Amino acid sequence: MEFVNKLVDTVKRASNNNTVINVCLVASFATLGLRSMNQQNLIEALEAEKESLAKSNKAIRKTIWDWKQQLYAEASTDSAVVPLARLKAIYGEAPPPQNSQLGDTVRKDAKSSSSTKIMA
């Protein structure tokens, strides 16, 4: 019991001592400063990564655009495996052909699969 009384008395004296309070405040400030510095470094690293990813995305978009234009150029020739109209329909740049066998097959499959019911 005597130990607890000494401990409480020491804590009371320390709480009234400005030096102890100042040391605690400086330690808190230093801790917050370090945390802030670490967060700032992390933010800067993430911003650099964001810029790098944006450049990479632009390069990829340009490459895809170039490939698509090359594909369209090849499809516009007479010896094309896939006609240009079909490619544009695939990429959503033109309405799909109405008399397409593939489209009819897909519609028939969709109708037949919607009419079948699975019982568990």
Side-chain angles (χ1 to χ4, degrees):
M1 188 69 176
E2 187 177 322
F3 175 73
V4 174
N5 287 334
K6 285 183 181 180
L7 184 63
V8 169
D9 186 44
T10 305
V11 170
K12 283 183 183 178
R13 278 188 275 133
S15 66
N16 290 331
N17 190 349
N18 282 339
T19 305
V20 173
I21 293 172
N22 289 340
V23 167
C24 290
L25 288 174
V26 168
S28 298
F29 181 74
T31 302
L32 290 174
L34 285 173
R35 189 179 81 174
S36 177
M37 186 177 67
N38 288 338
Q39 288 176 343
Q40 184 63 33
N41 290 339
L42 178 63
I43 288 170
E44 289 171 359
L46 289 173
E47 286 176 350
E49 182 180 6
K50 178 183 172 184
E51 290 175 11
S52 171
L53 289 173
K55 287 179 184 177
S56 174
N57 285 345
K58 285 181 183 179
I60 289 172
R61 275 192 231 121
K62 183 180 179 338
T63 301
I64 290 173
W65 175 258
D66 292 342
W67 286 349
K68 189 175 173 183
Q69 295 306 312
Q70 181 183 357
L71 183 64
Y72 281 177
E74 290 175 2
S76 65
T77 63
D78 293 334
S79 63
V81 177
V82 179
L84 182 60
R86 179 74 179 133
L87 281 177
K88 286 189 176 185
I90 289 171
Y91 284 110
E93 294 179 6
Q98 295 297 327
N99 296 333
S100 159
Q101 285 184 341
L102 181 62
D104 293 339
T105 305
V106 170
R107 283 187 214 102
K108 287 178 186 176
D109 288 344
K111 287 180 183 176
S112 67
S113 66
S114 65
S115 64
T116 58
K117 296 180 182 178
I118 299 174
M119 301 294 266

